[in-house]
Amino acid sequence: MLTVGTFLPPAPRGGTPAPAARAEIGRIPADDHALLMDLLATLPDVEFAHGLDIRRSCVRDGRVYCGEVCLNDLDLYVWHAWTARDPCGYTLEALRTLSLDVPVVPDPDRFATGLDKYRAHLRLSRAGLPVPDTILLDRRDTAAAAPVLAEWGRALLKPRLGSYGRGVLLIEDFATLRDLAGYLDSTVAAGTESTFLLERFCPHRGPADWVGTTLVNGTLMYGYRKRAHRFTRMSTGAWKVYDPEAVGGDVDACDVPPAHARLARLAQRALGLPLVGFDLIRSEGRPVIVDENTFPGFYPDLFAAAGRSLGRELFGLVKDSVAGLIAERAEAPEAARRTHLDGEPAGPGARGGKPRRTADGVPARVSGESTST
């Protein structure tokens, strides 16, 4: 019997008014949540402990406690809930600590990579996938960006942990970047990010060239477009999605071109996140990923239009995670036997530990597929 802990909070039935919509981020629509719970109850040889809120836990001597429950005694922990966009914040630290002893889905290190626009872009770029060219530099040394900006012409300055288009600034000359850094140093330097992330501006036609995607358990659920009032013009020929109240929504279903769909699936594999979304634009005839979303849009009407059920898709994710854990444990005795006979570990998990992986939990490259479109 496996013991699986979950924290998969539902949204209130009927939703909330738009100004409070941010509170719904990371929550599963009520009907889908009810279906998910019913389906999970049918899994044989699995005992679930639901509602284990990692955000309200504490860590004692490397063991994570939710009330009287020690999460380190679980066989698997599955979570999807809003958390602060801070890789060094408590929630992700607690999840990292837990993952030393228990498989955690999504993996906290991969999740933290997805939160950080620089690290996420770097991960996708190293996997050979098209993202904008970037430069990362210390804010106190903006001179290093001068030759790059001269080559690019235009760039976007983005907060590494930003969202909803807030704080994204079009940089059309080096003087703007230099003076912005000087302003920050003269006013709020102590409390601001010390790095600047610049993306090369990719020319496109604005809203007509923008497509959002949502993927669950490696499968593309649907595509969507933001409505026109969710875009703002930064300058001639330069647009961005802008949602200052961070309420989300205002989307319509759209077809996802095959090249975009294939790119989104490759990007999901590269980040290794089971729940993720990507914003893509068409620039100079090819799709480019311009943003990664660790809290993808769960829009019930779009799931229905696509003939899919979020509750069933999430059930498949949990079921696959359980099956993977069972298979890994079944392999462990044979691996241990080979270790005893040969004197060397026979592969990942040979000594009963977790499979080896790179520092951010993802293989060095996505192999087996070309990215040409």
Side-chain angles (χ1 to χ4, degrees):
M1 176 73 72
L2 294 179
T3 303
V4 177
T6 76
F7 183 54
L8 303 165
R13 194 170 295 279
T16 59
R22 184 173 181 180
E24 305 309 304
I25 298 171
R27 290 178 175 266
I28 301 167
D31 290 341
D32 290 298
H33 186 272
L35 175 60
L36 171 61
M37 292 296 110
D38 288 344
L39 292 172
L40 291 179
T42 68
L43 274 181
D45 301 321
V46 180
E47 180 181 19
F48 284 95
H50 298 300
L52 299 175
D53 188 347
I54 190 76
R55 302 170 304 182
R56 302 291 181 265
S57 65
C58 69
V59 181
R60 302 202 305 261
D61 298 323
R63 294 175 68 80
V64 184
Y65 290 85
C66 282
E68 298 299 318
V69 178
C70 180
L71 303 188
N72 300 64
D73 294 332
L74 300 170
D75 294 297
L76 175 70
Y77 183 74
V78 182
W79 69 285
H80 179 70
W82 173 256
T83 182
R85 304 178 71 86
D86 179 5
C88 295
Y90 173 77
T91 299
L92 283 175
E93 201 62 67
L95 287 165
R96 288 190 184 100
T97 302
L98 178 61
S99 70
L100 296 175
D101 296 323
V102 177
V104 174
V105 178
D107 177 86
D109 286 329
R110 300 181 188 188
F111 186 84
T113 294
L115 282 176
D116 187 321
K117 296 184 186 302
Y118 169 69
R119 293 180 181 177
H121 274 16
L122 181 63
R123 180 72 229 132
L124 298 187
S125 176
R126 291 294 179 90
L129 306 181
V131 295
D133 295 340
T134 62
I135 179 172
L136 185 73
L137 67 154
D138 192 304
R139 192 186 69 225
R140 294 159 296 190
D141 189 23
T142 54
V148 179
L149 287 171
E151 175 189 347
W152 290 357
R154 282 174 154 186
L156 294 176
L157 179 65
K158 285 189 173 183
R160 289 177 60 176
L161 301 175
S163 58
Y164 297 103
R166 294 174 300 178
V168 176
L169 179 66
L170 181 67
I171 302 294
E172 299 188 275
D173 55 64
F174 171 69
T176 301
L177 184 71
R178 177 201 63 206
D179 293 343
L180 174 63
Y183 174 82
L184 293 174
D185 287 340
S186 300
T187 54
V188 292
T192 57
E193 168 61 47
S194 64
T195 60
F196 272 172
L197 171 63
L198 289 165
E199 287 184 7
R200 186 171 191 164
F201 178 75
C202 297
H204 58 286
R205 299 176 300 164
D209 277 336
W210 187 96
V211 174
T213 58
T214 293
L215 296 96
V216 178
N217 204 21
T219 300
L220 178 64
M221 298 289 102
Y222 49 72
Y224 59 89
R225 295 189 191 279
K226 291 281 187 180
R227 293 171 186 162
H229 69 277
R230 285 300 181 198
F231 287 84
T232 186
R233 188 190 298 272
M234 295 184 287
S235 183
T236 303
W239 300 76
K240 71 172 181 177
V241 173
Y242 186 51
D243 184 356
E245 291 82 26
V247 297
D250 288 330
V251 300
D252 296 301
C254 73
D255 292 332
V256 181
H260 290 58
R262 184 166 169 277
L263 179 54
R265 287 191 290 267
L266 287 170
Q268 183 274 327
R269 288 175 53 194
L271 288 183
L273 290 171
L275 303 172
V276 69
F278 299 99
D279 298 343
L280 304 96
I281 62 170
R282 181 174 293 278
S283 179
E284 298 179 337
R286 68 165 187 162
V288 179
I289 293 174
V290 293
D291 205 4
E292 303 86 4
N293 303 311
T294 50
F295 293 102
F298 288 161
Y299 303 114
D301 54 336
L302 299 193
F303 273 98
R308 296 186 178 277
S309 161
L310 175 59
R312 293 188 182 280
E313 299 292 344
L314 292 175
F315 171 68
L317 168 59
V318 177
K319 183 179 179 181
D320 289 349
S321 299
V322 168
L325 178 60
I326 292 172
E328 181 179 325
R329 290 187 172 184
E331 293 173 359
E334 175 61 20
R337 187 187 70 82
R338 292 198 300 271
T339 300
H340 175 73
L341 292 176
D342 302 335
E344 293 293 335
R351 291 198 172 108
K354 296 182 182 179
R356 294 179 184 175
R357 58 194 185 204
T358 56
D360 63 359
V362 184
R365 289 186 65 86
V366 176
S367 61
E369 293 196 65
S370 166
T371 60
S372 62
T373 58

